[in-house]
Amino acid sequence: KTQLGIALALAVAHGRNFLDYEIRKDNPILYVEAELCGSDIQDRIISLNYPFLEMNSQKNNLKPQNQFTLSQDDLINAGIQYGFPDLAVADDETRASIGRRATEDLVDEIKDKTGQYPILFLDNISALTSIDENKASDWNSLMKWLIKLKSKNISSFIFHHTNKSTGSASGSNMSQRLIDTHIITKRLDEEHRFNIPGKSVQCSVHFDKFRNFGGEHAKTFILTCDEEGNWNRYPMLDQKNMKILKYLKDGYSVPQMCEEDDDLNEKTVYKRIKKLKDQGLVPKDEKEKDKEEIF
């Protein structure tokens, strides 16, 4: 989730598209990372930005003036011995207000420097709060604070863990009531995993809640990232369907596919292609379109 979060934050900061999403305007970001060390965060940022750096040129596609990060190491080096002050504390609003005020002060400083409020990324809630996640009342003040930021035109992303048994967000559903979009990433099962050499990100992306969009934009999809930072998005299909799509793209007929791959048989492939056409992933021929219009 952190790799995906940083990639998205950097796309916003530098005004570059991410996957199939268009970033129309660059915007400052503040990425608060409460678990990983500062050097780890910087290594990830460098690797994700590297493909966009124009070598041997005074001009490149990066806008470092929009890129702000805050890690535990930064606080300790600044003399804040115990790291991040909590943004929410069970039964202690006075203590929580200190952490929130510090965060707002930093956001205001970035606005003074750049002329825009940064988009705030809080990674993650477990490390940035001292609450009982199962109690709705413990989430209440944190969510109201995020709404307050929103009223000032400050967008925020919060990162949280999933419940291992249910796959849904951990703790009370109060954490989801006031947010616009809730995204869950899950590890891919073997049926859907790709053979990507080295370390890779492979997950399914689910929209559990969404406002102001829907339809195709809210469908579950597969997301991968290889060691070189190349991100790819795929429809939520098993590997046989992925093979069939690739063969169709390369101009293979169904008999040619089955001759090339012993794992495929014609009857099953035709059935799968029909489903892929119904899903809009394979274009229909003119006869099929005419038949649909008649009915």
Side-chain angles (χ1 to χ4, degrees), residues 4-220:
L4 174 59
I6 293 175
L8 178 58
L10 293 176
V12 172
H14 302 297
R16 59 185 182 235
N17 294 343
F18 182 61
L19 301 176
D20 297 333
Y21 301 105
E22 181 184 0
I23 308 296
R24 297 181 180 178
K25 181 179 179 296
D26 61 271
N27 197 93
I29 61 98
L30 171 58
Y31 198 99
V32 179
E33 169 53 57
E35 284 188 335
L36 298 178
C37 64
S39 60
D40 193 342
I41 296 299
Q42 292 307 313
D43 285 345
R44 295 185 188 215
I45 288 174
I46 290 169
S47 66
L48 289 166
N49 274 340
Y50 185 78
F52 301 92
L53 180 66
E54 293 185 11
M55 306 303 291
N56 302 318
S57 172
Q58 293 182 349
K59 181 181 179 181
N60 59 56
N61 296 322
L62 303 182
K63 298 179 176 65
Q65 68 273 18
N66 283 343
Q67 185 179 293
F68 298 87
T69 60
L70 184 65
S71 70
Q72 191 89 318
D73 292 355
D74 295 324
L75 295 176
I76 293 172
N77 290 336
I80 304 174
Q81 184 177 356
Y82 299 105
F84 287 99
D86 290 314
L87 299 176
V89 183
D91 302 320
D92 194 342
E93 275 300 295
T94 301
R95 189 173 133 206
S97 66
I98 296 172
R100 294 174 197 163
R101 183 68 262 167
T103 304
E104 287 188 57
D105 287 345
L106 182 53
V107 165
D108 287 338
E109 286 182 31
I110 292 173
K111 182 180 186 294
D112 291 341
K113 186 173 183 178
T114 65
Q116 300 180 81
Y117 278 120
I119 295 177
L120 179 62
F121 292 77
L122 299 173
D123 187 2
N124 60 67
I125 291 302
S126 294
L128 288 167
T129 63
S130 295
I131 62 174
D132 181 347
E133 296 173 1
N134 294 307
K135 290 179 64 175
S137 57
D138 282 12
W139 282 96
N140 191 44
S141 61
L142 175 65
M143 301 312 293
K144 285 183 177 178
W145 176 65
L146 294 174
I147 293 296
K148 174 190 171 185
L149 294 183
K150 184 179 178 180
S151 70
K152 292 175 63 176
N153 263 347
I154 302 170
S155 300
S156 57
F157 287 73
I158 64 172
F159 295 74
H160 192 35
H161 297 97
T162 55
N163 185 303
K164 290 183 179 180
S165 59
T166 65
S168 59
S170 178
S172 168
N173 63 10
M174 173 59 76
S175 63
Q176 302 163 44
R177 289 185 185 174
L178 301 179
I179 61 177
D180 292 326
T181 306
H182 184 222
I183 302 171
I184 297 177
T185 59
K186 298 181 180 179
R187 178 183 173 85
L188 286 179
D189 55 38
E190 290 305 317
E191 183 183 7
H192 293 90
R193 288 185 71 80
F194 293 81
N195 183 22
I196 302 176
K199 294 181 180 179
S200 66
V201 172
Q202 297 195 51
C203 63
S204 56
V205 178
H206 307 254
F207 293 90
D208 192 48
K209 177 182 179 181
F210 41 92
R211 290 177 180 163
N212 306 318
F213 69 97
E216 292 294 320
H217 300 291
K219 281 189 174 181
T220 299

Side-chain angles (χ1 to χ4, degrees), residues 225-257:
C225 181
D226 61 24
E227 282 188 324
E228 296 180 357
N230 298 308
W231 292 88
N232 286 291
R233 173 178 175 164
Y234 304 95
M236 193 66 194
L237 303 172
D238 62 29
Q239 290 304 303
K240 280 190 178 180
N241 278 337
M242 296 299 287
K243 283 182 183 179
I244 292 169
L245 285 174
K246 186 176 187 310
Y247 281 131
L248 289 173
K249 184 179 179 181
D250 292 341
Y252 281 67
S253 67
V254 173
Q256 288 172 328
M257 293 181 203

